[in-house]
Amino acid sequence: MAVVTTHRTQVAIVGAGPAGLLLGHLLHLNGIDSVIVENRARDYVIDRVRAGVLEQGTVDLLNAIGVDAGLRRRGLRHEGFYVSVLGSRHRIDLSSLTGGKAITVYGQNEVVRDLIDARIETARPLYFNAEQVAVTAVDSPSPVVRFRHDGAEHAVHCDFVAGCDGFHGVCRPAIPDAALTIYERVYPFAWLGILAEAEPSSDELVYTYHERGFALFSMRSPTVTRLYLQVPPDEPIERWPDEAIWAEMLERMRARDGWQPNVGRIIQKSVTPMRSFVATPMRHGNLFLAGDAAHIVPPTGAKGLNLAAADVLVLARAMKAYYERGDTGKLSEYSDVCLRRVWKAQRFSWWMTSTLHRFPGENAFDYQRQVADLDYLTSSRAAMTSLAEQYVGLPFEVSFESAGLPAVEQEAATH
Ligand code: APR
Ligand code: PHB
């Protein structure tokens, strides 16, 4: 019989994405033990290209936990962005509309790299390349996470499992179907995204509404441009040779004021489907779902990573209250507290997506209404204020102090 290495910890965290790693660090700062189990290789997790917009509150949180050295050096603070409607560019002045707030462009893979470094510094366990990860006994007071690593069997006995294993993970399926309610919308288009070796031609993002469909200009560094195009769902990437991508990008993004992205060598390209998804409640027994394991947003509002950060702040507060005072109330509230913010971000992401994309089958009335929506959005200070408030991020539902962190100055003061 195979020998099983048995671990005992307080919280078993499944998944080393932003949610799992950030939770691990928040627990560490509160003296709570955890084991993180990730099924991919370290380099795969770090190199995976994802979104890159951090809300003001996410930046503040990374500051508060002290994982902010890379962010301060390489993060690009943006105090506004552009909406380009049928060739005319309008600036949304995020800072003046929100009393000085901003977003920071910093790749999710950079955030993950920094959090992995921080985890390794704590010397707390983090297993990459874990195989056959299975979550059991979540209804009992002592759930177990089992996995194989380097040919050996492991069993992690814990008080709680944090399901931070993304949309395709094993934690949500460990909950009986009858115990979950699923809310879902799949959009009739996808995003083709590229990274290009080209100096960003704008200091700020440009969200483009064009008759041929949505396009987005973003960046990763002073030498790397990140661009997206609305394409049909399930579009094979082979249908898009580099020249075709550039032709379509330029056609959609070229503005009447002469602005367009710089062209360069394409170093990465992929197609991402778009969906809105929420599974409730976010807790079953002693299993707590956080981040993409519980909810997915279409990337138009750039909310995915930020929602994951907000969830684990609420979860860390609940676990701290439990271990410090035996208070189970905050654990009971976890799902409801998270879902308040999750649904507002869902609404915002759906609205950004619906406003900026062309929908197959729409009629002339739909088109005129959409153009009028965008005209209103770019000409009314009230409409721009609502957009800006949500884009920089609605407030977290719980304070940093309640999760055992020092209160920090707003990020605006630290740059
Ligand atoms: N066992 C262990 N780990 C797993 C398993 C499994 N069976 N299945 C998936 N994982 C890992 C994935 O490899 C990944 O590293 O869980 C991690 C989940 O990370 P993310 O998908 O990044 O999800 P999350 O941490 O919730 O972060 C949300 O990620 O998907 C983006 O746009 C989304 O920005 C948002 C953010
Ligand atoms: C990105 O830079 O990857 C990005 C920016 C804004 C979005 C989505 C993705 O809305």
Side-chain angles (χ1 to χ4, degrees), residues 67-119:
V67 183
D68 58 348
L71 183 59
R72 281 167 190 265
R73 266 200 309 276
R74 295 186 304 282
L76 306 168
R77 180 181 156 84
H78 288 196
E79 298 192 343
F81 68 87
Y82 292 89
V83 179
S84 177
V85 184
L86 302 174
S88 101
R89 285 205 302 159
H90 307 264
R91 184 164 185 272
I92 308 292
D93 189 335
L94 292 174
S95 290
S96 83
L97 292 163
T98 59
K101 293 185 185 165
I103 52 123
T104 298
V105 173
Y106 189 61
Q108 177 172 319
N109 52 321
E110 302 274 347
V111 174
V112 165
R113 184 204 315 269
D114 298 347
L115 286 167
I116 290 174
D117 290 348
R119 175 75 180 184

Side-chain angles (χ1 to χ4, degrees), residues 15 17-19 38-40 48 50 108 133 164-165 291-292 304-305:
E38 162 65 48
N39 67 349
R40 299 288 195 160
R48 194 164 39 186
R50 292 280 181 82
Q108 177 172 319
V133 179
C164 302
D165 50 349
D292 277 16
L305 166 62

Side-chain angles (χ1 to χ4, degrees), residues 27-302:
L27 296 179
H28 162 75
L29 294 174
N30 283 289
I32 300 170
D33 278 342
S34 64
V35 173
I36 304 182
V37 180
E38 162 65 48
N39 67 349
R40 299 288 195 160
R42 176 178 172 164
D43 286 350
Y44 178 93
V45 172
I46 291 176
D47 293 339
R48 194 164 39 186
V49 178
R50 292 280 181 82
V53 172
L54 306 187
E55 292 175 356
Q56 178 79 59
T58 305
V59 170
D60 292 342
L61 182 57
L62 290 168
N63 280 337
I65 67 170
V67 183
D68 58 348
L71 183 59
R72 281 167 190 265
R73 266 200 309 276
R74 295 186 304 282
L76 306 168
R77 180 181 156 84
H78 288 196
E79 298 192 343
F81 68 87
Y82 292 89
V83 179
S84 177
V85 184
L86 302 174
S88 101
R89 285 205 302 159
H90 307 264
R91 184 164 185 272
I92 308 292
D93 189 335
L94 292 174
S95 290
S96 83
L97 292 163
T98 59
K101 293 185 185 165
I103 52 123
T104 298
V105 173
Y106 189 61
Q108 177 172 319
N109 52 321
E110 302 274 347
V111 174
V112 165
R113 184 204 315 269
D114 298 347
L115 286 167
I116 290 174
D117 290 348
R119 175 75 180 184
I120 288 169
E121 212 155 288
T122 66
R124 293 190 188 268
L126 165 55
Y127 290 89
F128 288 104
N129 299 307
E131 293 167 62
Q132 297 167 26
V133 179
V135 176
T136 56
V138 293
D139 283 316
S140 82
S142 187
V144 187
V145 174
R146 298 180 193 280
F147 61 99
R148 283 178 69 83
H149 188 259
D150 271 349
E153 302 284 340
H154 292 256
V156 182
H157 296 258
C158 57
D159 302 326
F160 304 111
V161 177
C164 302
D165 50 349
F167 186 64
H168 300 286
V170 291
C171 289
R172 195 179 64 253
I175 302 175
D177 286 349
L180 281 182
T181 303
I182 305 291
Y183 303 85
E184 188 168 27
R185 165 167 301 206
V186 177
Y187 295 88
F189 37 74
W191 276 15
L192 188 162
I194 63 164
L195 281 176
E197 282 172 345
E199 184 189 328
S201 63
S202 160
D203 291 342
E204 294 178 338
L205 273 56
V206 185
Y207 286 82
T208 298
Y209 176 83
H210 186 274
E211 281 175 1
R212 296 174 64 84
F214 171 79
L216 172 61
F217 167 91
S218 180
M219 66 206 68
R220 283 295 175 276
S221 74
T223 56
V224 176
T225 294
R226 176 87 170 133
L227 300 172
Y228 299 96
L229 273 184
Q230 174 185 352
V231 294
D234 304 319
E235 181 82 331
I237 192 77
E238 301 74 38
R239 203 170 284 169
W240 288 89
D242 293 1
E243 312 73 61
I245 293 178
W246 281 120
E248 191 65 26
M249 291 286 181
L250 293 174
E251 167 91 23
R252 294 192 197 178
M253 289 192 203
R254 199 177 285 128
R256 269 200 289 283
D257 60 12
W259 180 81
Q260 63 178 42
N262 288 328
V263 174
R265 191 168 74 91
I266 296 179
I267 48 179
Q268 190 267 349
K269 55 180 171 181
S270 60
V271 174
T272 315
M274 311 267 283
R275 81 169 69 226
S276 302
F277 175 94
V278 184
T280 71
M282 290 168 60
R283 172 195 189 170
H284 180 75
N286 287 316
L287 167 61
F288 293 80
L289 301 178
D292 277 16
H295 41 72
I296 295 281
V297 284
T300 326

